[in-house]
Amino acid sequence: MSPSSPLHLAVALDGTGWHPASWREPVARPRDLLTAGYWADLVTEAERGLLDFVTIEDGLGLQSSVFGGLDGRTDQVRGRLDAVLIASRIAPLTRHIGLVPTVIATHTEPFHISKAIATLDYVSTGRAGLRVQIAPRPDEADHFGRRTIPPLTLDELQSPAGQELVSEYFDEAADHVEAVRRLWDSWEDDAEIRDVATGRFIDRDKLHYIDFEGRHFSVKGPSITPRPPQGQPLVTALAHQTVPYRLVARQADIGYVTPFDTGQARAIVAEIRAEQETAGRAGEPLHVFADLVVFLDDDSSEAVARKERLDALDGGEYTSDARIFTGTPAQLADLLQEFASAGLTGFRLRPGVLGHDLPAITQGLVPELQRRGAFRTAYEADTLRGLLGLARPANRYAAA
């Protein structure tokens, strides 16, 4: 991708922002976190900036500052609304922006997820997606009682046994997505006749058993929800290493990755493309977005100072799996274009403080990219697939 090619931009919404002390900022609105209006305002602002989509974080356990379990802290945001339900509530209030809630593959059934996201696609008239995530924490497994998940430290996670366990979780996620995708196709596009004169509402021959038999799920089908407007809503996933890169290559339309420089970005893109070829998807479009945590101000020193002040409030330096950027919108635009030269097709930005950094993205970064000819000046499609240049796929069962 050349530096002047149009970029795709998404924003990751989580609580009051990605910095754990963000809720203490005057613009944060922590008292509104559990209201529909709060989330509507965020997504409306993102749509005002012509962003491709928003993702909405979710989980099956309380947020935590430590890996693999609960931290007992009471000075950070804890508790959240259901991401899919937030997206469904916000969808009728927006017209163009994509809505991509997080869903957990480890403890939820593909059938439930398939109809929830299909419903979101109908409510949004073709702007739905999902971000698939695993849940390897013991406290989350305890909510369901179906399995026991052993606690793992970061060191244990990197051991051969830990990597084998992680691979199992991601294989399960791949099975989960495959079943969901097949359920979306289990109704042909014209299965609904709705002919009052003949009394025929559906053509039963155009509803299909999917008969999915994987290692982790057995799903008969068909769905109870007709095929979504997009045919296949977008599947996205966050990936940090080879095992999740493989999930992205096998099942996703967008992978979010976390490079810290262009060399690393280039290597990650190459690895995902190789895995994509191994999975037999070499000819299929697959976007690779880089995640960045952003603190934006008109002066770069102000952005640095703001993060340092938040760090002091939280009692320690904030670090992230993704690169943390502190600076001006113009400096961020430079970095995004530099990263794009490594083969990335877009970026998912994580605002450090949503009340401050989301408007800085929509009202600062976006106009800067537009001046450079690197971002849209109007929405050019009515569906999320259309915004990302992805064709509406044929129904696999109708083709058969």
Side-chain angles (χ1 to χ4, degrees), residues 246-305:
R246 206 165 286 146
L247 171 65
V248 168
R250 289 165 62 185
Q251 288 290 5
D253 301 294
I254 303 174
Y256 313 116
V257 299
T258 53
F260 282 76
D261 55 46
T262 52
Q264 191 179 18
R266 191 170 288 108
I268 291 171
V269 170
E271 183 172 358
I272 290 176
R273 297 303 178 200
E275 291 287 354
Q276 189 180 1
E277 185 170 359
T278 300
R281 295 184 65 205
E284 297 181 28
L286 170 61
H287 284 287
V288 182
F289 281 28
D291 270 21
L292 294 97
V293 182
V294 297
F295 297 84
L296 296 173
D297 283 282
D298 293 336
D299 184 283
S300 59
S301 62
E302 292 177 7
V304 172

Side-chain angles (χ1 to χ4, degrees), residues 29-41 81 86 89-90:
R29 299 172 59 191
R31 294 183 182 276
D32 296 334
L33 261 179
L34 304 184
T35 67
Y38 173 81
W39 295 95
D41 289 346
L81 300 178
I86 291 173
R89 174 65 180 86
I90 302 307

Side-chain angles (χ1 to χ4, degrees), residues 46-67:
E47 185 170 64
R48 189 176 295 121
L50 306 178
L51 304 188
D52 290 81
F53 60 92
V54 298
T55 61
I56 305 170
E57 296 299 301
D58 207 345
L60 298 176
L62 287 176
Q63 301 94 317
S64 179
S65 61
V66 300
F67 174 80

Side-chain angles (χ1 to χ4, degrees), residues 94-370:
T94 56
R95 294 183 57 198
H96 300 287
I97 195 165
L99 301 164
V100 181
T102 297
V103 302
I104 313 299
T106 311
H107 301 293
T108 53
E109 296 296 328
F111 191 90
H112 296 153
I113 296 302
S114 73
K115 71 186 184 72
I117 300 300
T119 299
L120 176 60
D121 209 41
Y122 275 102
V123 172
S124 65
T125 60
R127 295 180 284 121
L130 64 81
R131 181 175 87 85
V132 63
Q133 181 174 294
I134 65 168
R137 281 168 42 176
D139 62 292
E140 295 171 335
D142 290 345
H143 294 320
F144 301 91
R146 297 175 185 169
R147 66 170 87 177
T148 300
I149 290 181
L152 285 178
T153 66
L154 280 172
D155 288 340
E156 290 170 338
L157 185 68
Q158 299 304 323
S159 70
Q163 286 298 291
E164 183 177 349
L165 191 58
V166 168
S167 295
E168 184 75 8
Y169 294 144
F170 277 100
D171 283 345
E172 179 181 32
D175 263 12
H176 190 284
V177 174
E178 179 63 23
V180 166
R181 286 192 179 280
R182 293 188 186 201
L183 285 164
W184 285 336
D185 275 350
S186 64
W187 289 55
E188 294 185 33
D189 289 317
D190 55 352
E192 292 179 276
I193 301 169
R194 308 183 192 183
D195 190 337
V196 174
T198 63
R200 296 183 71 208
F201 191 87
I202 62 170
D203 183 342
R204 189 60 185 81
D205 292 336
K206 295 189 176 183
L207 273 61
H208 301 274
Y209 296 114
I210 68 168
D211 291 323
F212 178 77
E213 294 285 347
R215 287 184 53 223
H216 305 277
F217 299 99
S218 174
V219 183
K220 181 71 174 176
S223 176
I224 63 167
T225 307
R227 195 172 192 234
Q230 293 183 103
Q232 291 276 319
L234 258 63
V235 173
T236 77
L238 174 63
H240 299 102
Q241 58 181 350
T242 297
V243 171
Y245 293 159
R246 206 165 286 146
L247 171 65
V248 168
R250 289 165 62 185
Q251 288 290 5
D253 301 294
I254 303 174
Y256 313 116
V257 299
T258 53
F260 282 76
D261 55 46
T262 52
Q264 191 179 18
R266 191 170 288 108
I268 291 171
V269 170
E271 183 172 358
I272 290 176
R273 297 303 178 200
E275 291 287 354
Q276 189 180 1
E277 185 170 359
T278 300
R281 295 184 65 205
E284 297 181 28
L286 170 61
H287 284 287
V288 182
F289 281 28
D291 270 21
L292 294 97
V293 182
V294 297
F295 297 84
L296 296 173
D297 283 282
D298 293 336
D299 184 283
S300 59
S301 62
E302 292 177 7
V304 172
R306 184 160 58 90
K307 179 182 179 294
E308 290 175 347
R309 179 170 51 78
L310 289 166
D311 288 347
L313 284 172
D314 194 51
E317 183 182 3
Y318 170 64
T319 59
S320 173
D321 58 313
R323 176 167 172 169
I324 299 174
F325 174 88
T326 54
T328 68
Q331 290 169 334
L332 180 55
D334 291 340
L335 179 63
L336 299 189
Q337 290 190 298
E338 178 188 334
F339 267 34
S341 68
L344 298 165
T345 54
F347 300 90
R348 186 176 72 140
L349 305 179
R350 308 178 191 177
V353 179
L354 276 166
H356 181 108
D357 296 301
L358 176 56
I361 291 167
T362 58
Q363 300 170 33
L365 174 65
V366 166
E368 178 63 30
L369 290 172
Q370 289 170 333

